[in-house]
Amino acid sequence: MTIIEVKTGKSKRVDVVPVNVEGLKILTKKRYFFSWKKEKAHTQLYKLCIVGEDDILGVMALVDVPGDRRMEIKLLVSSKENVGKEKMYDRIAGCLVGFACKESVKRYGDLACVSLKPKTELREHYRNKYGMIDAGLQLCVEGLSLIKLINKYLI
């Protein structure tokens, strides 16, 4: 799994792993936009880091919804310096979405699904960039589109 350094175009290998207690201390609203300590109580938090480095570049709160055979992304964010036109790295959010897809396939096989409830201004972005489809208030990805995301971002 790789992200791209925008200035140089170089690939950097990354890992997505659960957030531990030490990582939770680093996740401030100033750099990561949300109060992640509140999310830890009812979601599984994952962080994206460059292999061999401790800096957290992206964070995702994921919930397993077994009754629907899906994983729901409650929150997903890139660190402050990795948002917008001047960002340092590209593909952070894609790698986190791809990871959620992989986790869903592990649990639900060919019935796997990943969903999220985007902010209004991001709805079209998620449709275009990740192939998500409307599912009422949420967007979701399943089937071949889900496998394509795994292949694009994780392999």
Side-chain angles (χ1 to χ4, degrees):
M1 173 172 15
T2 61
I3 57 174
I4 308 296
E5 189 174 21
V6 175
K7 285 185 181 179
T8 66
K10 291 182 181 178
S11 295
K12 302 261 185 174
R13 286 189 40 238
V14 293
D15 279 330
V16 176
V17 296
V19 174
N20 59 21
V21 175
E22 292 304 312
L24 200 54
K25 293 176 185 176
I26 296 168
L27 297 176
T28 62
K29 267 187 170 181
K30 183 176 181 180
R31 188 167 179 219
Y32 301 98
F33 306 99
F34 298 101
S35 176
W36 291 92
K37 289 177 185 173
K38 291 178 186 177
E39 293 303 315
K40 183 70 173 158
H42 58 277
T43 66
Q44 176 63 55
L45 297 183
Y46 292 94
K47 62 182 179 178
L48 181 141
C49 300
I50 293 173
V51 171
E53 296 183 20
D54 294 328
D55 191 28
I56 299 172
L57 302 177
V59 189
M60 173 175 63
L62 198 57
V63 175
D64 187 5
V65 186
D68 294 344
R69 294 185 180 111
R70 69 181 166 93
M71 301 297 291
E72 181 177 350
I73 299 171
K74 287 288 190 179
L75 287 175
L76 181 133
V77 70
S78 295
S79 58
K80 188 175 183 177
E81 68 279 0
N82 287 298
V83 176
K85 294 179 182 180
E86 300 298 318
K87 65 185 168 190
M88 292 174 57
Y89 295 104
D90 194 21
R91 294 174 45 101
I92 293 170
C95 287
L96 289 167
V97 171
F99 178 83
C101 291
K102 182 181 88 172
E103 290 299 301
S104 189
V105 168
K106 276 188 199 175
R107 287 172 173 83
Y108 304 113
D110 60 350
L111 298 174
C113 177
V114 170
S115 68
L116 56 79
K117 185 177 177 183
K119 294 178 179 177
T120 305
E121 63 270 15
L122 292 176
R123 196 169 190 86
E124 200 60 36
H125 170 74
Y126 281 105
R127 278 195 229 142
N128 293 334
K129 186 145 187 156
Y130 304 115
M132 293 188 161
I133 58 172
D134 279 305
L137 293 174
Q138 295 200 0
L139 296 176
C140 71
V141 61
E142 59 188 358
L144 185 56
S145 296
L146 183 137
I147 298 304
K148 285 180 180 179
L149 287 173
I150 293 171
N151 290 336
K152 180 176 182 176
Y153 291 102
L154 301 188
I155 297 176

